[in-house]
């Protein structure tokens, strides 16, 4: 149950701090303009920048929840400002987070490789990372094309946005209260400077000191509130309580299923199948379905020991089997019933929340229906050339 408590804690982070404090004072507006400068006004590159950032953070060992909680509010704010489909932006980011998830430094990779080592099964941490990363890139390309991302490369308003971002970006004004809110909206002020320091502090605490992200975020938010208490009016009322309650209920339900042995029973059924090819396909789909509601790490830790007969079968590639199960169990973390998907839902802008939930749910069903099968075909049926 510890994994579920961590997941629940992660769900609360963006709602309390990232989604409310930073947009409240315009810091994310400022970051979004800096991001547009980075891609020289080409909004078609922004989703790929978020994909790369997500993959980079997780591949160097950052847990998926802290990485997503830092990047999701920024990504969806940028999507709102520059008229990028928020669902596409969120999916690209979370696919990137998954792409780096099976690095030897990340928790997913550590769990899988540790289990394989303990059972003396031939495997390669590098190939596991390479397989899942390449398939995530393929999925990201498909998502980008399906959501008309290619059109963003030719939008004429990109140049206009870039020109606007290149001017009046810095205006450090100690007496900013005397200036109009509009004139300071996209400029660096002393308070936004403190907020940027707070964001950097959260990243450092997550990467280097393994501090609980929820506690750290509340601490940074408290300090920012004390610095300028008048700016925090209406923050608590803006917290998306229905989403928090929804995820809490799902986490509790899955925890009950785990305690009474339902998940263990299903994994035992998979392990008992005589056909290793079909057993891998079944395990991949079961992993996709369960992980869309529950802990990916917990499922991987449960299924790998029970899949030992499949992994030891000489007729199948052990790295192919483990790549298929690993990818299928992690790519579905976009589900609105999972922690990362709930963070997307909590930070969505420019779209009715019910509509965003419906579209995210449809996307999740598509990922669950197609992702495990695609991984199985590529890694088990066809096999990779390496």
């Amino acid at each position: 149950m510890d994994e579920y408590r961590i997941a629940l804690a992660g769900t609360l982070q963006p709602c309390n701090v990232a989604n409310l404090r930073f947009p409240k004072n315009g810091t994310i507006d400022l970051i979004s303009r800096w991001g547009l400068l980075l891609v020289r006004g080409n909004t078609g590159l922004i989703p790929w920048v978020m994909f790369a950032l997500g993959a980079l953070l997780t591949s160097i060992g950052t847990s998926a929840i802290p990485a997503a909680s830092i990047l999701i509010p920024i990504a969806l704010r940028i999507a709102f400002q520059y008229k990028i489909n928020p669902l596409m932006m969120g999916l690209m980011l979370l696919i990137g987070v998954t792409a780096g998830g099976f690095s030897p430094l990340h928790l997913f990779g550590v769990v899988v490789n540790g289990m394989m080592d303990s059972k003396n099964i031939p495997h390669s941490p590098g190939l596991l990372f390479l397989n899942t990363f390449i398939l995530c890139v393929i999925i990201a390309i498909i998502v980008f094309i399906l959501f008309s991302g290619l059109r963003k490369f030719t939008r004429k308003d990109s140049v206009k946005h870039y020109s606007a971002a290149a001017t009046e970006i810095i205006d450090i004004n100690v007496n900013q209260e005397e200036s109009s809110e509009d004139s300071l909206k996209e400029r660096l002020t002393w308070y936004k400077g403190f907020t940027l320091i707070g964001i950097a502090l959260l990243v450092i605490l997550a990467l280097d000191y393994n501090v609980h992200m929820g506690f750290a975020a509340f601490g940074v938010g408290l300090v920012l509130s004390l610095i300028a208490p008048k700016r925090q009016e209406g923050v608590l009322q803006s917290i998306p309580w229905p989403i928090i309650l929804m995820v809490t209920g799902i986490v509790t339900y899955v925890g009950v299923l785990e305690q009474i042995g339902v998940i263990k029973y299903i994994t035992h059924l998979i392990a008992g199948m005589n056909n290793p090819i079909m057993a891998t396909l079944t395990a991949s789909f079961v992993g996709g379905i369960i992980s869309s509601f529950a802990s990916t790490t917990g499922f991987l830790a449960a299924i790998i020991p029970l899949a030992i007969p499949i992994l030891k079968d000489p007729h199948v590639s052990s790295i192919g089997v483990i790549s298929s199960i690993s990818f299928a169990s992690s790519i579905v973390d976009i589900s609105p019933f999972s922690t990362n998907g709930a963070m997307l839902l909590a930070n969505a802008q420019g779209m009715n929340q019910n509509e965003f939930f419906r579209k995210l749910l449809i996307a999740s069903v598509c990922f669950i229906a197609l992702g495990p099968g695609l991984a199985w075909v590529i890694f088990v049926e066809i096999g990779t050339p390496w």
Side-chain angles (χ1 to χ4, degrees), residues 103-130:
S103 157
L105 300 177
H106 190 268
L107 179 61
F108 291 172
V110 170
V111 168
V112 173
N113 294 319
M115 289 286 184
M116 299 286 276
D117 283 332
S118 66
K119 303 300 180 181
N120 296 318
I121 298 174
H123 72 290
S124 170
L127 287 182
L128 173 63
F129 181 37
L130 180 64

Side-chain angles (χ1 to χ4, degrees), residues 99-168:
F102 289 94
S103 157
L105 300 177
H106 190 268
L107 179 61
F108 291 172
V110 170
V111 168
V112 173
N113 294 319
M115 289 286 184
M116 299 286 276
D117 283 332
S118 66
K119 303 300 180 181
N120 296 318
I121 298 174
H123 72 290
S124 170
L127 287 182
L128 173 63
F129 181 37
L130 180 64
N131 286 347
T132 52
F133 185 89
I134 290 176
L135 192 49
C136 282
V137 172
I138 294 173
I139 296 296
I141 292 173
I142 294 173
V143 168
F144 189 74
I145 294 174
L146 288 179
F147 284 91
S148 305
L150 293 175
R151 296 180 184 176
K152 287 293 178 180
F153 284 108
T154 57
R155 285 179 63 90
K156 295 181 180 180
D157 63 346
S158 295
V159 177
K160 179 178 70 175
H161 286 311
Y162 174 65
S163 300
T167 60
E168 299 182 347

Side-chain angles (χ1 to χ4, degrees), residues 258-280:
E258 185 188 37
Q259 289 296 318
I260 64 178
V262 172
I263 295 177
K264 188 180 240 183
Y265 174 73
I266 294 174
T267 52
H268 272 296
L269 289 179
I270 295 172
M273 295 179 68
N274 294 324
N275 188 327
I277 302 295
M278 294 309 299
T280 302

Side-chain angles (χ1 to χ4, degrees), residues 49-60:
V49 170
M50 301 313 300
F51 174 91
L53 285 174
L56 176 63
L57 281 179
T58 51
S59 65
I60 62 177

Side-chain angles (χ1 to χ4, degrees), residues 236-384:
L236 290 178
Q237 291 85 344
S238 302
I239 295 176
W241 296 111
I243 296 174
I244 294 175
L245 292 175
M246 177 191 72
V247 176
T248 303
I250 292 293
V251 168
T252 302
Y253 176 66
V254 173
V256 171
L257 292 181
E258 185 188 37
Q259 289 296 318
I260 64 178
V262 172
I263 295 177
K264 188 180 240 183
Y265 174 73
I266 294 174
T267 52
H268 272 296
L269 289 179
I270 295 172
M273 295 179 68
N274 294 324
N275 188 327
I277 302 295
M278 294 309 299
T280 302
L281 178 61
T282 304
S284 298
F285 272 105
V286 169
I289 295 171
I290 293 179
S291 294
S292 64
F293 294 91
S295 163
T296 301
T297 308
F299 178 79
L300 288 172
I303 189 63
I304 293 175
L306 296 175
I308 297 302
I310 304 173
L311 295 169
K312 289 186 175 181
D313 194 300
H315 299 96
V316 295
S317 166
S318 60
I319 188 63
V321 170
I322 206 64
S323 296
S324 177
I325 295 174
S326 298
F327 176 84
S329 302
S330 58
I331 195 64
V332 297
D333 286 346
I334 66 162
S335 164
F337 302 113
S338 70
T339 305
N340 289 345
M343 282 193 276
L344 279 184
L345 192 58
N347 287 280
Q349 301 179 50
M351 184 184 294
N352 179 273
Q353 196 169 75
N354 290 333
E355 179 185 0
F356 190 85
F357 174 81
R358 181 177 59 84
K359 291 184 176 181
L360 183 60
L361 187 60
I362 292 173
S364 302
V365 171
C366 293
F367 273 55
I368 294 170
L370 302 177
L374 179 62
W376 175 77
V377 169
I378 293 176
F379 297 135
V380 180
E381 276 292 287
I382 299 175
T384 56

